[in-house]
Amino acid sequence: MPTDSPTPLASVANFTEGPFANLVSGYSTQAKSNLMLQATRACESACDRRLAPFTGLMETQRAEAMDVEDALDAYVPLDPTAQLGFSRAQSLGSSLLVRHFWVREFPARYPEMWSGSVTGVSLARSYSGTQIVDVSTLQFEPDTGHVRFQLGTFVPAGTTILVTYSGGYATVPADLVQACQYMAASMAVKQLDPVDGRSGHDPDALRADALEMLTPYTRR
């Protein structure tokens, strides 16, 4: 079974160079690393977003009705590939094809620090079989998660789209680093002093600080 090992939003060095160092002074090196990984996933769960870099994420979408702005109500010159796809759609009585879908993971803020790419798309149609789409024909906007099919790609409404892609903050915004530190501190305090709070740290207050900093990243 693969190990869950994301790149942490805040490193052990980030966490131990400041006032939280005393919280983990008795932790082993591995325990400190595990804490930062757990805090990273806790931040992502709180936002309902992927934040740390990821690869090979497989996601299923349903092709929705075509945008009116993309409807071909007049003849438009097409390249040979698009013309074949469009002719095939017309022969099957489905000339209005879906051209857009959106992946779930994209940057809520600071898109210039995000890195993403689509590495695979396959289509499972309710009729006329399946198809692997050449990703070089797609238009992908990492900052919005928008993916556009090449005109003429045979994607009737209702098609199941299986997309494989990568993304995440290649450079982690400073506020996310701090939010991860607060989350890790909250988790450490609960482990060290889960009942009476004699350590002088309030884990609920630390978690609240983390959640406040994560608010702009939270999925609406």
Side-chain angles (χ1 to χ4, degrees):
M1 178 179 296
T3 302
D4 185 20
S5 55
T7 301
L9 295 174
S11 67
V12 171
N14 294 144
F15 189 70
T16 56
E17 67 186 2
F20 297 132
N22 65 307
L23 294 176
V24 293
S25 59
Y27 282 37
S28 67
T29 301
Q30 185 61 55
K32 293 175 185 177
S33 296
N34 291 342
L35 177 64
M36 302 317 297
L37 297 179
Q38 293 161 6
T40 294
R41 288 303 192 213
C43 288
E44 292 182 329
S45 295
C47 295
D48 189 25
R49 286 184 181 275
R50 299 292 288 268
L51 302 169
F54 60 87
T55 57
L57 177 59
M58 300 180 68
E59 192 173 284
T60 301
Q61 306 282 346
R62 185 182 187 277
E64 302 293 346
M66 181 177 176
D67 251 348
V68 174
E69 293 178 354
D70 280 330
L72 297 180
D73 54 1
Y75 176 76
V76 178
L78 304 176
D79 61 37
T81 301
Q83 185 62 62
L84 286 172
F86 188 58
S87 297
R88 182 185 183 194
Q90 288 181 311
S91 71
L92 293 170
S94 177
S95 59
L96 294 181
L97 302 178
V98 174
R99 293 196 60 211
H100 310 262
F101 71 95
W102 281 261
V103 295
R104 181 172 169 77
E105 304 301 338
F106 58 91
R109 305 182 76 187
Y110 308 115
E112 71 277 12
M113 300 184 188
W114 182 277
S115 179
S117 64
V118 173
T119 55
V121 171
S122 64
L123 308 175
R125 298 180 283 260
S126 59
Y127 58 92
S128 189
T130 61
Q131 177 184 349
I132 303 297
V133 178
D134 182 356
V135 294
S136 68
T137 66
L138 300 172
Q139 296 176 14
F140 177 48
E141 301 165 1
D143 59 327
T144 62
H146 175 233
V147 184
R148 187 195 305 271
F149 290 109
Q150 184 182 57
L151 186 63
T153 305
F154 187 46
V155 192
T159 296
T160 297
I161 303 170
L162 178 62
V163 56
T164 304
Y165 65 109
S166 63
Y169 283 108
T171 299
V172 183
D175 55 352
L176 277 183
V177 174
Q178 190 169 9
C180 185
Q181 292 181 64
Y182 282 144
M183 190 68 77
S186 171
M187 297 169 75
V189 169
K190 286 189 175 181
Q191 293 171 2
L192 293 169
D193 193 5
V195 180
D196 59 13
R198 287 178 298 178
S199 65
H201 298 281
D202 184 346
D204 293 330
L206 289 168
R207 179 175 173 81
D209 288 339
L211 294 179
E212 181 179 357
M213 300 195 74
L214 291 168
T215 297
Y217 296 87
T218 302
R219 194 180 299 280
R220 303 290 187 231

